mmCIF file of all heavy atoms in Angstrom:
data_model
loop_
_atom_site.group_PDB
_atom_site.id
_atom_site.type_symbol
_atom_site.label_atom_id
_atom_site.label_comp_id
_atom_site.label_asym_id
_atom_site.label_seq_id
_atom_site.Cartn_x
_atom_site.Cartn_y
_atom_site.Cartn_z
ATOM 1 N N PRO A 132 -5.006 -5.110 4.843
ATOM 2 C CA PRO A 132 -4.929 -5.008 3.382
ATOM 3 C C PRO A 132 -5.446 -3.675 2.857
ATOM 4 O O PRO A 132 -5.107 -3.268 1.747
ATOM 5 C CB PRO A 132 -5.798 -6.179 2.898
ATOM 6 C CG PRO A 132 -6.715 -6.468 4.027
ATOM 7 C CD PRO A 132 -5.941 -6.143 5.275
ATOM 8 N N GLU A 133 -6.234 -2.951 3.667
ATOM 9 C CA GLU A 133 -6.748 -1.641 3.249
ATOM 10 C C GLU A 133 -5.643 -0.584 3.172
ATOM 11 O O GLU A 133 -5.849 0.491 2.618
ATOM 12 C CB GLU A 133 -7.871 -1.177 4.187
ATOM 13 C CG GLU A 133 -7.418 -0.765 5.575
ATOM 14 C CD GLU A 133 -7.198 -1.914 6.562
ATOM 15 O OE1 GLU A 133 -7.353 -3.082 6.189
ATOM 16 O OE2 GLU A 133 -6.857 -1.623 7.726
ATOM 17 N N SER A 134 -4.459 -0.895 3.700
ATOM 18 C CA SER A 134 -3.342 0.058 3.622
ATOM 19 C C SER A 134 -2.624 -0.031 2.273
ATOM 20 O O SER A 134 -1.798 0.814 1.965
ATOM 21 C CB SER A 134 -2.345 -0.209 4.751
ATOM 22 O OG SER A 134 -1.660 -1.442 4.549
ATOM 23 N N PHE A 135 -2.952 -1.023 1.463
ATOM 24 C CA PHE A 135 -2.266 -1.259 0.195
ATOM 25 C C PHE A 135 -2.717 -0.255 -0.865
ATOM 26 O O PHE A 135 -3.905 0.004 -1.027
ATOM 27 C CB PHE A 135 -2.553 -2.679 -0.302
ATOM 28 C CG PHE A 135 -1.831 -3.034 -1.558
ATOM 29 C CD1 PHE A 135 -0.555 -3.577 -1.509
ATOM 30 C CD2 PHE A 135 -2.420 -2.835 -2.794
ATOM 31 C CE1 PHE A 135 0.114 -3.915 -2.671
ATOM 32 C CE2 PHE A 135 -1.758 -3.172 -3.961
ATOM 33 C CZ PHE A 135 -0.492 -3.714 -3.895
ATOM 34 N N ALA A 136 -1.751 0.308 -1.586
ATOM 35 C CA ALA A 136 -2.026 1.172 -2.736
ATOM 36 C C ALA A 136 -0.917 0.939 -3.747
ATOM 37 O O ALA A 136 0.246 0.779 -3.374
ATOM 38 C CB ALA A 136 -2.076 2.641 -2.328
ATOM 39 N N SER A 137 -1.276 0.910 -5.027
ATOM 40 C CA SER A 137 -0.257 0.693 -6.040
ATOM 41 C C SER A 137 -0.328 1.779 -7.103
ATOM 42 O O SER A 137 -1.379 2.381 -7.333
ATOM 43 C CB SER A 137 -0.417 -0.682 -6.693
ATOM 44 O OG SER A 137 -1.611 -0.744 -7.434
ATOM 45 N N GLN A 138 0.811 2.000 -7.737
ATOM 46 C CA GLN A 138 0.908 2.965 -8.826
ATOM 47 C C GLN A 138 2.009 2.467 -9.745
ATOM 48 O O GLN A 138 3.154 2.320 -9.327
ATOM 49 C CB GLN A 138 1.233 4.356 -8.285
ATOM 50 C CG GLN A 138 1.067 5.485 -9.272
ATOM 51 C CD GLN A 138 2.257 5.668 -10.188
ATOM 52 O OE1 GLN A 138 3.383 5.362 -9.842
ATOM 53 N NE2 GLN A 138 2.002 6.156 -11.379
ATOM 54 N N ALA A 139 1.640 2.157 -10.981
ATOM 55 C CA ALA A 139 2.574 1.627 -11.982
ATOM 56 C C ALA A 139 3.303 0.414 -11.412
ATOM 57 O O ALA A 139 2.664 -0.559 -11.032
ATOM 58 C CB ALA A 139 3.525 2.710 -12.449
ATOM 59 N N TYR A 140 4.606 0.459 -11.293
ATOM 60 C CA TYR A 140 5.383 -0.682 -10.824
ATOM 61 C C TYR A 140 5.658 -0.644 -9.317
ATOM 62 O O TYR A 140 6.354 -1.502 -8.794
ATOM 63 C CB TYR A 140 6.710 -0.763 -11.588
ATOM 64 C CG TYR A 140 7.553 0.479 -11.438
ATOM 65 C CD1 TYR A 140 8.488 0.592 -10.420
ATOM 66 C CD2 TYR A 140 7.401 1.557 -12.310
ATOM 67 C CE1 TYR A 140 9.243 1.737 -10.269
ATOM 68 C CE2 TYR A 140 8.153 2.707 -12.170
ATOM 69 C CZ TYR A 140 9.077 2.781 -11.155
ATOM 70 O OH TYR A 140 9.821 3.923 -11.007
ATOM 71 N N LYS A 141 5.122 0.340 -8.611
ATOM 72 C CA LYS A 141 5.359 0.476 -7.174
ATOM 73 C C LYS A 141 4.097 0.137 -6.390
ATOM 74 O O LYS A 141 2.986 0.325 -6.874
ATOM 75 C CB LYS A 141 5.779 1.900 -6.830
ATOM 76 C CG LYS A 141 7.061 2.335 -7.458
ATOM 77 C CD LYS A 141 7.356 3.775 -7.127
ATOM 78 C CE LYS A 141 6.384 4.678 -7.797
ATOM 79 N NZ LYS A 141 6.821 5.593 -8.769
ATOM 80 N N ALA A 142 4.283 -0.327 -5.170
ATOM 81 C CA ALA A 142 3.163 -0.579 -4.265
ATOM 82 C C ALA A 142 3.592 -0.165 -2.859
ATOM 83 O O ALA A 142 4.769 -0.236 -2.503
ATOM 84 C CB ALA A 142 2.756 -2.044 -4.292
#
Side-chain angles (χ1 to χ4, degrees):
E133 71 278 2
S134 69
F135 183 88
S137 67
Q138 193 277 332
Y140 59 91
K141 298 177 291 244

